[in-house]
């Protein structure tokens, strides 16, 4: 069968849904990439992709090829990792998936320290929303991911790294601002600045609010905690954020209040259960577990 490189190229085009974007990602020219796809189609005798100016949609045959191509590239990556581990313990490349919320909070310092300790291990970080990180670890795009618990422990190894409480943020002159502790039930008539759906916190907090007896009135959804807090400071609504984010807010227009319900934000490094984890990957996990994030 045609080159493994052709399969890798096909996986990237399918992932980006665009020959242009895949070509940029792979640092190859678009004509070379199109030629590679056409060669694969010719060899298999089937159309794998419907190309238009904007996007490239895969056909039913393409979906079958994609499924096998992903398995094959994952096995090849594992083979490379295993061979690297036999020759050198402190080399390698780790692909890590991080939700943006988490990346900006905990990881710059840890990554700098890790890079200083293990300069020969490359860290390839990709920021995705939480649900997509989990899916990408499951599919093998990332060797490691960071996710919000709970997570399916039948599919993943879970290494807890952070556990902290969620806090309520209100405007300084808000009618609840004089309180030290608030029951979620008291927020029934409030307008929420909420997390985007792709964040695990969206569903976690929505479940807690519904358990308190009401559906939250969501004024605005965001994927950026600094924007969420700025909107509270402008008296546009209330929000609920993890303690470590609250620790970074130095806005005198915001009052931070404890919630009567102790809602915990738990983060963990996750790896796929049946996947070979490289020495570089295991080194990174051990490093994070030994660091105080």
């Amino acid at each position: 069968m045609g080159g493994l490189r052709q399969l890798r190229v096909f996986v990237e085009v399918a992932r980006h849904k665009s020959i242009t974007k895949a070509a940029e990602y792979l640092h190859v020219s678009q004509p070379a990439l199109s030629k590679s796809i056409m060669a694969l189609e010719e060899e298999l005798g089937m159309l794998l992709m419907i190309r238009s100016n904007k996007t490239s949609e895969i056909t039913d045959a393409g979906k079958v090829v994609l499924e096998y191509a992903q398995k094959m590239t994952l096995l090849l990556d594992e083979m490379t990792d295993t061979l690297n581990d036999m020759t050198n313990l402190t080399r390698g490349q780790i692909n890590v998936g991080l939700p943006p919320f988490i990346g900006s909070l905990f990881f710059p310092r840890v990554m700098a320290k890790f890079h200083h300790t293990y300069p020969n291990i490359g860290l390839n970080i990709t920021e995705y929303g939480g649900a997509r990180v989990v899916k990408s670890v499951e599919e093998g795009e990332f060797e490691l991911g960071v996710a919000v618990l709970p997570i399916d422990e039948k599919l993943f190894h879970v290494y807890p790294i952070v556990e902290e409480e969620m806090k309520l943020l209100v405007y300084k002159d808000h009618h609840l601002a004089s309180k030290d502790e608030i029951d979620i039930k008291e927020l029934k008539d409030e307008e929420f600045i909420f997390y985007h759906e792709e964040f695990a916190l969206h569903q976690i907090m929505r479940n807690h609010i519904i358990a308190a007896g009401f559906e939250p009135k969501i004024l605005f959804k965001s994927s950026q905690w600094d924007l969420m807090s700025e909107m509270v400071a402008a008296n546009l609504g209330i929000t609920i954020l993890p303690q470590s984010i609250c620790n970074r807010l130095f806005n005198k227009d915001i009052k931070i209040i404890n919630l009567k319900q102790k809602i915990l934000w738990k983060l963990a490094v996750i790896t796929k259960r049946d996947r070979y984890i490289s020495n570089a990957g295991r080194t990174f996990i051990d490093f994070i577990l030994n660091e105080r994030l």
Side-chain angles (χ1 to χ4, degrees), residues 264-281:
L264 293 176
W265 190 51
K266 299 179 183 178
L267 302 181
V269 174
I270 61 167
T271 61
K272 196 174 177 214
R273 270 202 178 271
D274 56 1
R275 175 174 181 156
Y276 175 83
I277 301 301
S278 66
N279 266 324

Side-chain angles (χ1 to χ4, degrees), residues 55-289:
T55 61
S56 304
E57 291 295 326
I58 60 172
T59 62
D60 287 346
K63 284 174 186 165
V64 172
V65 173
L66 177 63
E67 193 182 325
Y68 282 98
Q70 283 174 326
K71 288 177 186 170
M72 287 151 88
T73 53
L74 179 60
L75 281 169
L76 278 170
D77 289 343
E78 288 190 14
M79 178 183 80
T80 309
D81 286 342
T82 311
L83 291 171
N84 283 342
D85 285 353
M86 287 172 70
T87 54
N88 193 334
L89 288 177
T90 51
R91 283 202 168 281
Q93 173 81 19
I94 315 166
N95 292 321
V96 184
L98 277 183
F101 235 54
I102 293 163
S104 60
L105 270 181
F106 301 110
F107 278 80
R109 184 179 56 80
V110 171
M111 280 162 189
K113 206 167 169 187
F114 181 78
H115 180 64
H116 183 73
T117 313
Y118 300 99
N120 293 328
I121 297 179
L123 277 178
N124 184 15
I125 309 291
T126 307
E127 285 199 324
Y128 281 165
R132 196 167 161 205
V133 168
V134 175
K135 192 167 176 16
S136 298
V137 171
E138 188 182 347
E139 288 175 353
E141 183 186 347
F142 303 136
E143 187 175 7
L144 312 172
V146 175
V148 177
L149 301 180
I151 202 113
D152 185 351
E153 298 201 18
K154 290 195 289 292
L155 282 178
F156 302 98
H157 287 293
V158 172
Y159 306 92
I161 50 174
V162 171
E163 183 175 300
E164 57 183 54
E165 284 185 30
M166 302 294 291
K167 304 284 181 181
L168 175 69
L169 281 69
V170 301
Y171 179 62
K172 64 173 180 184
D173 295 333
H174 191 278
H175 68 97
L176 296 171
S178 58
K179 299 196 168 200
D180 293 326
E181 186 178 78
I182 281 177
D183 189 304
I184 290 179
K185 289 187 177 72
E186 297 174 67
L187 306 177
K188 188 174 190 299
D189 299 321
E190 302 300 324
E191 289 190 314
F192 283 83
I193 314 293
F194 224 66
Y195 327 91
H196 219 274
E197 279 89 351
E198 64 173 15
F199 284 91
L201 275 177
H202 177 94
Q203 205 50 51
I204 290 169
M205 283 314 308
R206 196 167 162 269
N207 291 346
H208 277 287
I209 292 166
I210 289 167
F214 64 97
E215 179 76 44
K217 288 181 192 152
I218 297 174
L219 176 73
F220 181 79
K221 291 176 196 162
S222 174
S223 56
Q224 296 172 343
W225 59 265
D226 47 354
L227 180 59
M228 294 168 81
S229 60
E230 287 302 320
M231 291 184 84
V232 172
N235 198 19
L236 284 167
I238 65 166
T239 195
I240 296 172
L241 289 170
Q243 176 72 59
S244 53
I245 290 174
C246 297
N247 294 346
R248 291 177 175 228
L249 300 176
F250 301 107
N251 193 318
K252 58 186 184 319
D253 293 331
I254 295 173
K255 171 79 190 294
I256 297 164
I257 305 171
N258 292 328
L259 289 167
K260 191 174 180 185
Q261 294 87 343
K262 292 279 182 274
I263 302 169
L264 293 176
W265 190 51
K266 299 179 183 178
L267 302 181
V269 174
I270 61 167
T271 61
K272 196 174 177 214
R273 270 202 178 271
D274 56 1
R275 175 174 181 156
Y276 175 83
I277 301 301
S278 66
N279 266 324
R282 288 196 298 274
T283 303
F284 188 60
I285 293 169
D286 290 341
F287 188 84
I288 292 180
L289 294 177

